Amino acid sequence: MSPQRVLQELYWVAGFAAAFMLLHWLTMQAGSLFDIIPGSISLIYLPAFLRVVSIMVAGSPGVLGIGLGGFLMSWAYHDRPVLVSLAETTAACLAIVLAYAALRQAMGVARLPITFWNLIAMTGIYCACNAVIHGLMWGLLDVDFGLAPWQLSLMMVGDLLGVVTMFLISRIMIRRARQLSL
């Protein structure tokens, strides 16, 4: 791999990690309004958008970036043990990788084109995978923060609303930028 390619991939990792941490922090600032389980399940989880976009835009470096950002927020911001932080990060990254692989397999393509409908399908598959994998991981680690199975369905809703919210914000910002450039 060329040095330029390595540098580009490091930029993707750093960029997605920083963006993930920013969106996670913003989600936590609104926590009193949307939290189901503080720091774990929110009714609007903005970084879910980055998880979906990361793999479609940057592939593995994007997923590594959201993993790095997720780990740092879990460990440093929420002060969780390293093992729990690694497990949560692995669960989130595995969810998006499985969703991407499932959709790619279903469509019979090597790389998913970035279209509105593919983003919608990825979001739906990811939301289900993320809640199920997190629920399994929290159960295996015996993480006790009062998790009830019905709350995992709210995790799916929170991821979905986070993706929709950030998609709408992105659309507004892009339109605004186009208007200003004219």
Side-chain angles (χ1 to χ4, degrees), residues 5-181:
R5 177 77 175 166
V6 170
L7 191 58
Q8 179 186 19
E9 290 185 359
L10 286 174
Y11 285 143
W12 282 121
V13 170
F16 275 105
F20 185 93
M21 290 187 296
L22 174 64
L23 289 180
H24 184 84
W25 180 80
L26 287 172
T27 299
M28 296 304 102
Q29 298 314 299
S32 61
L33 298 172
F34 302 111
D35 273 357
I36 303 302
I37 297 175
S40 297
I41 298 178
S42 177
L43 277 178
I44 299 179
Y45 188 63
L46 300 176
F49 175 78
L50 282 178
R51 289 179 179 158
V52 172
V53 170
S54 70
I55 197 164
M56 295 189 78
V57 170
S60 297
V63 174
L64 185 59
I66 61 161
L68 177 61
F71 173 79
L72 291 172
M73 291 307 285
S74 179
W75 177 64
Y77 184 79
H78 295 292
D79 199 31
R80 293 192 174 123
V82 171
L83 180 61
V84 171
S85 297
L86 283 173
E88 287 179 339
T89 299
T90 301
C93 291
L94 184 58
I96 197 60
V97 168
L98 287 176
Y100 185 82
L103 188 57
R104 206 184 66 193
Q105 179 71 26
M107 293 179 67
V109 295
R111 184 164 173 91
L112 286 176
I114 301 173
T115 67
F116 176 75
W117 294 110
N118 284 348
L119 287 172
I120 295 293
M122 272 288 294
T123 298
I125 298 166
Y126 156 73
C127 290
C129 287
N130 191 48
V132 169
I133 294 170
H134 269 87
L136 290 171
M137 179 273 309
W138 286 326
L140 289 172
L141 289 177
D142 200 26
V143 175
D144 184 24
F145 47 72
L147 178 68
W150 63 269
Q151 290 170 317
L152 291 175
S153 63
L154 293 179
M155 184 179 206
M156 288 185 245
V157 170
D159 284 346
L160 176 65
L161 291 176
V163 171
V164 169
T165 300
M166 286 306 301
F167 179 75
L168 291 174
I169 289 171
S170 298
R171 296 276 301 177
I172 291 166
M173 289 175 60
I174 290 169
R175 283 185 181 164
R176 199 69 152 137
R178 285 181 184 159
Q179 289 173 347
L180 293 174
S181 68

